[in-house]
Every structure is written in C-alpha cells, then in structure tokens.
Amino acid sequence: MPDRLADASPAAHNREIEQEQQYLSVLYDRLDGMRDYAQNRLKTVLLESGGTPQARSERESFTQLYNEDLSKYDAAEHGLCFGRIDLEGTEDAARYIGRLGILDEDNDYEPLLLDWRAPLARPFYLATTANPENVTRRRHIRSRNRAVTSINDEYLDLDAAERDGVIGTDDGVGGESALLSALNAARTGHMNDIVETIQSEQDAIIRSEHKSVLVVQGGPGTGKTAVALHRAAFLLYTFRQQLAKSGVLIIGPNATFLDYIGQVLPSLGETGVLLSTIGDLYPGVKAVREDSLRAGEIKGSLEMLEVLKQAVRDRQEVPSEPVRLAFDGYPVILDRKIATRARGRARSSRRPHNLARPIFASSVIDALTDQLAATMGADLSGGTSLLSSADLSEIGDEMRADPHVQAAITALWPVLSPQEVLADLLADPARLDRAAKTLSPDDRAELVRSDDGTFGAADAPLLDELAELLGVDDTEERERSRRRWRAQIEEAQDALDILTGSAPQDIEDELDPEILMAYDLIDASQLAQRQEFGNRQTTAERAAGDRTWTYGHVIVDEAQELSQMAWRMVMRRIPNRWVTVVGDVAQTGDPAGASSWQRVLEPYVAQRWKLTELTVNYRTPAEIMAVAADVLAAIDPGTEVPRSVRETGNPPRAYRVPPADVVGEVARLLDAEYGPGTAAVLAPAAWVPELSSLAGESVQVLTVHDAKGLEFDRVYLVEPQAILDESPRGLNDLYVALTRATQRLAVVHTEQLPEVLSALG
C-alpha cells in the first residue's frame, strides 16, 4: 500500500513522529517502572529466610516469576512498540501494538500497549481493504534506542484514503513497506522475529487453537520456521498455566539451525522452551557419529523394531553347559532346564527386560533352593526333608545375596542399558545376524561398525526404543535417594545442634521468651528442604535430562526429514498429541524422511490432523525462484510454486571452470560481491574440505543438509550434478540449495549443468 505520509509535508510528517515519540516515551517510562518493581521485589524475596515449607515454596515461585519478568522486560527493550491501529468511531479509538502488554495504573488499568498475541491486537495483522475489521488506518512504527525513526501508514478505509489523496490497494500482503524493508535488510547469521510484519495467512496459523496435530506445509521462504516460533510464543501466552509446568519442545534438523533460531523466542519474552535435534533428544547422548545414507535409512525404518526386540531377547540366555555352584558347602547346578523355565516365566510377564529380571532371578533361586533342600534333606533323614517353609525362605534370601549365584544369574539375564545393547549389536556381526534376520545381508553389513563409544543422529530413536524394551529398575536409585535425604536431614540437625549449643545459657536466660531463635523457626527437615529448593531447575532443564518427560506441546521443524523411528520417539514425548508439524515434503533430503504427511501421522492420530499451507515466498527473489521452479516440477509436477513478493534485479548466474579452479572462482565471486550480510558456499560433502578455507566471519561452507532451514544474503552453489548424484533424493537437496539466498545466487560447476538448471544464465 502507498505510504500516506510520503504525500504529507515534512512539517506534518515531523509532527506525527513527535507525537509517536511522546507516546513511546510514556511506554518506556512504564517499562522502567515495571522493571524496577520486579528488581526490588526480587531483592526482597531473596533476602527472606526461614518460614514454613509452604512459605519457602512460594518464595521460590516468586523468585522464578520475577526473574522471568525481568527477562521479558529486557527482551522487549528493542522495538517495544511497533504498530498502531485506528478504529472507526471516536478519536480515542487507537490501539498500540507491541512486544508485551502495558497497563495504565493511573486510569483504571486501561491498556497503553497491547501484547501482539492478545485478541484485541489481531486486526493489526488481519485487516485489509476488503475486510478492514473496523480499522481505518494501520501504522507501522520503527524505533531504535527508544527513539522513533520512521512511521508508515496504510489506509484501510478507502473513502478516507481518497479524501486525503491516497488511493488504497490490497494485494494480500499487509504492511508492504515495513515488510520489504525487513526482507531486504542484510542477514546477521541469526533469525530475527517477524512480530512487526506477520501476514494474515501466517497469523491464522500462529493463533490456531487446534488441539491435535497441525501441519504447516509451505515452500522455501514462506516463513514456516518463523511461524512455528511465534506460534510457540502465542501458545505460551494463551495457555501459560498449562504449558509452564509441562514445557514446550522444539525439534530442529541440526545444531546450526538451533543456533540460528535461538534468539527468536527470548526476543519475544519466552525463555522456558527446550530446543533440540532428534540426535540430541536422548538424554546423555550427543550425536557426533556420521552414518552412511543407506545406514541412516535402514535405522529409520520400522524394520528396526523387530531387530531391536530380537537383540534384547538375544541377551536372555540359557547355559549351553550346566553351571555348577557351591552354596553353604553343598553343590547346586543351574542347568538349561531351570534357566529355560525361568526365562519363559519372565518373558510371559510381558515386562521390559530389566523389570522382568527379578522374575527370572526368583524362578532360578526357587529352583536352586528346592534342589538344595532336597540334597540337605537326603543327608539329614535319608530322603525326607526336615526343612520348614521358614527354613526354605531363609535359604532363598541367603542365596539371593550370594555373589556367585548372582553372577550366574547376571550372566544369563544381565541388567542392560540401551547404549550397551545397541553398541554391542552393531559392533558384533554375529549378534546382528541373529537379531536382524529380516534384513538382507548387504543391509546388515551396512550397519556393522566399530564400538568407539559414540552414536549418530539415527541412533537416538533406536536408543529410545531400547529404553522402552529394557525398562529401568529404579529400586536401587530410590533407596539411594532415601539414603541421601536421611543424610541431608542428619547434616541439617547437626547444624542446628551447633547453633543451639553456641548460645550461652546466661544469654538465653536473659532473652525475652517471645524472641525466637533460628532453631525455633526451622527444624532439620525444613532446613534440608531449603537446600533442595535452592537447587531447583527450570522446566526446560528438568525436561532435557528426563527421557520420560511428557511435554504440553511439541513443534517439529523441517519435519519432513524425520524417519519413522524418529516419529515414534517424538510421539512418546507428547501423549496428548498436541503437535505443530512444520515442513515441506518437496524438500525432503533424508532417504528415511517423509513423502506424505498422511502416511506419517495417521498411525498416531488417524484423521485428527489438520493441514494448513503457506503460499507466499518472502525470502527467495522471483529471479531465483524461476530457476528453482524447474527443479520443483521435476520433483512433483503438481506442486504449486510459492509466489515471491519481490524482485532484486539480480538474476542467478552459472560459471563453468576446470576442477582446479573451483576454489579460486568461488573466492573471486565472494570478493566481487562482498557486502553487508551473510554468504554461504553450499557443496557436495566431498568438496567441503577443499572449500573450507573460504569460511570466515560472514561466510559459511556447508553441505546442503547442514543448510536446512537457514538463509543467507548470497549463496554460491558448487557442482550441482554431484549434489544430485550423492543422494537418492538429490533433486530435493538441489531444490533446498537453490532457495537459501535472499539476494544473489551463483552456481560454479565443472561438469555439464543438470537439465533441470537449463534456465540459468
């Protein structure tokens, strides 16, 4: 839409800016007052001590509350107020929109500033000339360091626009001037929030309260990730009480991506969200190992379910030869028959392996006890047992504590960890052959690897599955916790005893009996609890270390890359199935990834999922998208190309050079097109080491996989034919690579260009 103020006189323009500056100053004064109040209350709370357990719990809650408020106020400092809507009616019918809500304490708590997530703020994002929602004018306010730098107006009331000499238009893209300014700005290497320029189709998804799986399908540059992050902020605002306790999990494709988006939610005032990759979602394991494409594909398939089940069963052994033991001077024999019967009883319980172990052990010990009783009875009475049931029970207890008996039981039915089972399985071809009979010999050979203690991204879902199959017998841990708690109480009591004994008797005699000493206010249990409260973690920190944690909401970005096994891992963490799935099946590069949302989701939610689509491309200029469109047509001729909102006048170029000149040619282009913002050299994996010397402060050298979800001002794509050849989904990878640039794209190649890139100049 035209900028109404562009036609106004400079004096009128300046008066408008001065008025907004005055209002902005009021808002910042109130923000400073809110910050001072939170800081003072936090200091007061931290100085308090003692009290009942309830008082201490409340103190910890207030500490967390005020710390969160301070983080929110700091995050709102930049761009506190970014918009205003004037409503049809009275002159006072104006609403200011910003990063948080501010109330006027001197005027019945009337809103001075609306939080962008509040329902009353929606018209700022949704109003159009076709459907103005009672809005006559929308103003975009830009500021820096608490000073208004510019304002931009859109008229939604066409009669008013014509009276002022402005003709309004509506192309479905609201706030065009502010939007294009944001899109053309140089990238910094981190994603910025889009709270000032959210478009109507994005707003509808952000505010959707659909309580099952919401799929956000969109092509490159349509703002899927930004929408997902703002949706997280909206849900935390709207369902604060519910989600503050259970937390929100956001899953991204790689660590680079998580670093890229890491500042968005804090800038929106939300800090209690856990960000993770699939590879790092299993507590205590970091994904550092690289699998081959085929190995990753096999590990991601549901065939691995049977392989893992058999791998666990393979660890439940019976002896090939009788195991001879001595107990209390008598021989006992653990043979195949005893072990087979015990194994059958343990398996028929349908408990996980580690939780079924006590059943196996009890069955073995019962059999050995009967065997021992028969031997002892024969010795004592020539064949008739003289042992009572109490005697047998005592023998069983002693045998249960016997280290040799326990060692024999452990050898047949060991306590196992997921890491141990998976590492042993993949490092031992014989184990793998026994467990993976459903896989071909070639596929089994692809999985074999040495055990160096490391795991890869595709291993995390397998570890999670094994954790379910094995279970955790936490009896010993609970006992250790009880012992730790008793020790803390004893230490606290010792401290109180010292404090009590340090007060001279004559002083105590002189004290007013109504004056309370420290040991009158708190007992040992309460003092120990204070230590526990002092070690509290945030919801996100607790969730990160707990494999069984269930979240209130989960957002999966680049979701098309998740394998079937990865989806099982995700769904365990969200039993209520309230998930936002963000992705584009046309960009699936992982051979184990998705080609259909329906096939991915229906096993978990049947038909209870909703598809939404983003259709406008805000990142990729039209010139680049024209080239990428040919690749998309080769992937799926029926897929519609996202509409680019802008042109740059810089058509993408191709440069063919000898192999020895590739690095030099890319370096030349980087120097020739040097400017503000970021650049990326995207290359096949084999080329990355040779090109890595080009990396610098604003230049990254990446594979296409590592560039998933990222954007750069300039992209230099190396050897596209090799990108096609290195993966079964090479076309998808090429499509991703072509659509990372916001300004310029250049292709450097030694081989003939693929036919799908024939549109390149």
Side-chain angles (χ1 to χ4, degrees), residues 65-188:
L65 172 65
Y66 293 130
N67 275 320
E68 289 177 354
D69 282 347
L70 289 171
S71 297
K72 181 169 60 177
Y73 301 152
D74 290 342
E77 177 70 26
H78 174 67
L80 173 63
C81 173
F82 53 77
R84 165 183 160 178
I85 50 178
D86 296 341
L87 304 177
E88 186 176 3
T90 66
E91 294 182 359
D92 296 330
R95 297 175 188 166
Y96 283 85
I97 318 298
R99 294 180 176 276
L100 50 73
I102 295 179
L103 301 177
D104 185 357
E105 295 180 354
D106 299 327
N107 188 23
D108 295 330
Y109 292 93
E110 287 292 318
L112 292 172
L113 185 68
L114 289 172
D115 190 299
W116 66 275
R117 296 166 288 192
L120 289 176
R122 288 205 72 181
F124 181 77
Y125 301 109
L126 299 185
T128 64
T129 53
N131 183 23
E133 299 200 16
N134 208 38
V135 177
T136 59
R137 183 178 65 173
R138 170 169 45 213
R139 169 168 288 179
H140 295 267
I141 303 170
R142 307 198 74 178
S143 61
R144 185 174 184 179
N145 297 330
R146 298 195 171 195
V148 175
T149 58
S150 67
I151 53 180
N152 169 264
D153 285 351
E154 301 167 77
Y155 275 90
L156 304 178
D157 182 335
L158 295 183
D159 291 337
E162 290 175 0
R163 284 196 303 270
D164 286 356
V166 178
I167 303 299
T169 62
D170 177 33
D171 62 0
V173 180
E176 189 173 274
S177 176
L179 176 64
L180 293 179
S181 176
L183 297 179
N184 287 322
R187 269 49 187 174
T188 63

Side-chain angles (χ1 to χ4, degrees), residues 186-254:
R187 269 49 187 174
T188 63
H190 289 90
M191 176 180 277
N192 296 319
D193 65 62
I194 60 168
V195 65
E196 301 177 28
T197 57
I198 293 171
Q199 302 300 297
S200 59
E201 69 172 6
Q202 297 172 328
D203 185 83
I205 295 170
I206 289 169
R207 297 176 190 268
S208 172
E209 296 186 13
H210 182 70
K211 284 298 185 73
S212 187
V213 178
L214 180 71
V215 176
V216 184
Q217 163 75 33
T222 53
K224 299 184 298 296
T225 297
V227 166
L229 296 173
H230 287 69
R231 175 163 170 74
F234 170 78
L235 293 176
L236 284 164
Y237 173 86
T238 307
F239 303 99
R240 175 74 62 187
Q241 186 172 5
Q242 174 183 347
L243 295 180
K245 296 178 181 178
S246 56
V248 172
L249 170 65
I250 297 180
I251 298 173
N254 51 58

